[in-house]
Amino acid sequence: MQSTFKKIKSLEIQGAESIALAAVRALAAQATQSKAKTKPALIAELEKAAAFLASSRPTEPAMRNELASLSRALRESDSQGVQELKKLAQKKAQEYADFSHHARARIAEFGAKLVPQKGAVLVHCHSSAVMRVLKKAFDQGKRFEVFCTESRPFFQGRISSRELSEYGIPTTMIVDDSVNFFFSQKNAPSLVLVGADAITDKGELVNKIGTSLIALAAREAGAKVYSCTLLHKYDPHTRGGKSEPIEFRGEKELLSDLSPRQREAFKKIKILNPAFDITPANCISGVVTEKGVLNARELVSFCRKNFRV
Ligand code: RUB
C-alpha cells in the first residue's frame, strides 16, 4: 500500500482512472494481508487505509468514490467472517477493474463518432479515455492528425504523443502556450478532447492545469470541446456549491531542468504549481461517458441519483 501511495503521489501512476484502479487494488491487497480477527477491526483498518490512499492526490474523486464503494460493500455485507470479507474485497476490486475496462470501451465507441474523418484534434495531458477514443476512430479508418500539448510542468503530453504516434496516428507536439496560435492556422483543430479528474455538482470540469485556457481559446475559434470520462469522476462532495479541492504540487516540477545548485538562485522566489484548473460547464460542448454523450445538466442529474457521499 505504501508503494502504491508513493507511485500515485510521484505521478509514476498518473491519470485519474489508473490512479483509482491502482488504489482499489492496493486496498484489496491490504484486506488480503490483514491480521484483523473481526469484521469491525477489518473494516476500521481498511477505512484508515482508504483515507491514506485517497490523500495521495486530493483532486481525484474517482479514487475516493471507488475506495468508498469497496469499503461500503464490506461494511454492508451480511457476512461476518473475516475470510469471506477478504474474498469479497478481491471480488469487488476485480468487478471494478472489469467495469472500468468496459466503460472505457463504451466511451471509445461514443467518442470516436465525434472525431472528424480528416483534419485535426487537439489533446491536452494524458487521458486513457481520450487515447482510446482516438485509437478507435483511427481503427475505423478516420485519417485525422493530433496536436498534443506538452502539458507542463510534468510533460504528460509526451506520453500521449508517443502513444498516439506509435499507434500510427500522425502526431505533432506543441508547447502549451501555442494553442491559440494553432487555432489560427490553416489546419486548426476543430475538436479538443480532454479527460477529467473531477466533475463538480455544477457540471464544471476539473482537469489538468491549462484545460480552462484551452477551452476558452477553442470557444473563440469555434472548435468543440469534449471531456471523455467515466461518470464516477463526479464528486458528490461538491453538492451545495462546495468547490473541488485543487492539488498544488511541489516547486521542483517547475525547475526540473536545473541542478540543485542552479535551483538555489530561485530560493527567494515564490513558486506556485496548481495541478488542475476548473472549466465552467458552458465552455464544454459535452461529456463523453459510458452512458453516451451528456450535457452538464444530464450528467449532474444522473450522478446526483447514483453517487452517495
Ligand atoms: C492527468 C489528467 C487526465 C485525467 C483523466 O493528470 O489530467 O486528463 O486524469 O485521465 P495527472 P483518465 O497526470 O496529473 O494525473 O482518462 O486516464 O482517467
Side-chain angles (χ1 to χ4, degrees):
M1 190 177 63
Q2 290 285 348
S3 111
T4 304
F5 176 91
K6 277 193 198 137
K7 283 183 187 167
I8 294 175
K9 200 169 177 60
S10 67
L11 299 190
E12 190 179 328
I13 299 173
Q14 64 79 225
E17 199 58 33
S18 305
I19 290 169
L21 284 162
V24 166
R25 254 195 317 271
L27 191 64
Q30 181 71 22
T32 305
Q33 291 156 15
S34 171
K35 300 210 177 351
K37 300 264 181 297
T38 62
K39 179 173 178 174
L42 179 66
I43 303 284
E45 180 183 329
L46 293 185
E47 284 180 349
K48 201 168 153 208
F52 173 66
L53 285 162
S55 72
S56 59
R57 297 206 66 189
T59 317
E60 297 297 350
M63 167 162 60
R64 287 197 292 272
N65 285 334
E66 292 300 338
L67 288 170
S69 159
L70 197 154
S71 298
R72 194 184 304 124
L74 301 198
R75 209 172 42 243
E76 293 176 357
S77 158
D78 291 337
S79 168
Q80 297 299 317
V82 167
Q83 291 313 321
E84 259 178 83
L85 291 168
K86 288 182 176 187
K87 278 196 199 129
L88 180 61
Q90 290 299 337
K91 183 169 164 271
K92 287 285 162 194
Q94 189 54 50
E95 274 174 17
Y96 161 47
D98 294 342
F99 165 74
S100 170
H101 178 76
H102 291 301
R104 281 187 284 180
R106 302 268 296 158
I107 291 170
E109 292 280 351
F110 293 125
K113 296 197 179 107
L114 302 169
V115 176
Q117 282 290 348
K118 287 182 180 160
V121 181
L122 177 76
V123 163
H124 186 50
C125 201
H126 179 256
S127 151
S128 57
V130 170
M131 294 297 105
R132 285 182 193 218
V133 166
L134 292 170
K135 289 176 187 175
K136 185 81 192 174
F138 188 72
D139 290 346
Q140 290 171 348
K142 294 189 172 181
R143 289 298 169 258
F144 52 92
E145 65 173 301
V146 177
F147 287 91
C148 291
T149 62
E150 284 181 303
S151 314
R152 278 177 170 266
F154 211 72
F155 300 108
Q156 292 93 329
R158 291 178 183 169
I159 311 174
S160 300
S161 57
R162 281 182 44 201
E163 190 173 330
L164 295 172
S165 167
E166 278 163 17
Y167 205 74
I169 300 173
T171 305
T172 305
M173 195 161 68
I174 60 175
V175 298
D176 301 11
D177 296 342
S178 67
V179 163
N180 211 20
F181 170 81
F182 284 102
F183 274 130
S184 70
Q185 297 299 291
K186 210 166 143 230
N187 190 25
S190 58
L191 174 69
V192 176
L193 291 181
V194 290
D197 283 276
I199 305 279
T200 71
D201 193 61
K202 286 187 203 153
E204 299 155 321
L205 166 66
V206 184
N207 193 52
K208 182 52 55 193
I209 190 79
T211 301
S212 65
L213 268 178
I214 293 174
L216 287 172
R219 189 164 71 172
E220 200 62 25
K224 301 263 184 220
V225 181
Y226 286 92
S227 167
C228 306
T229 178
L230 270 79
L231 287 162
H232 67 178
K233 308 270 184 76
Y234 168 78
D235 189 350
H237 292 102
T238 57
R239 282 176 200 161
K242 288 203 204 85
S243 49
E244 181 67 25
I246 297 293
E247 173 188 2
F248 275 70
R249 299 187 60 82
E251 56 195 48
K252 258 195 189 165
E253 285 183 2
L254 270 76
L255 305 175
S256 56
D257 57 328
L258 303 183
S259 67
R261 202 159 151 242
Q262 287 169 320
R263 278 186 215 143
E264 284 290 305
F266 291 83
K267 252 189 146 171
K268 287 192 184 148
I269 298 169
K270 184 172 172 185
I271 293 177
L272 292 176
N273 182 18
F276 303 102
D277 66 16
I278 298 173
T279 305
N282 64 7
C283 289
I284 303 160
S285 317
V287 184
V288 187
T289 75
E290 67 271 30
K291 298 273 178 208
V293 182
L294 307 180
N295 63 34
R297 195 177 32 78
E298 291 165 335
L299 186 149
V300 169
S301 111
F302 176 87
C303 290
R304 277 185 186 164
K305 285 185 212 127
N306 289 281
F307 287 86
R308 285 157 68 179
V309 179

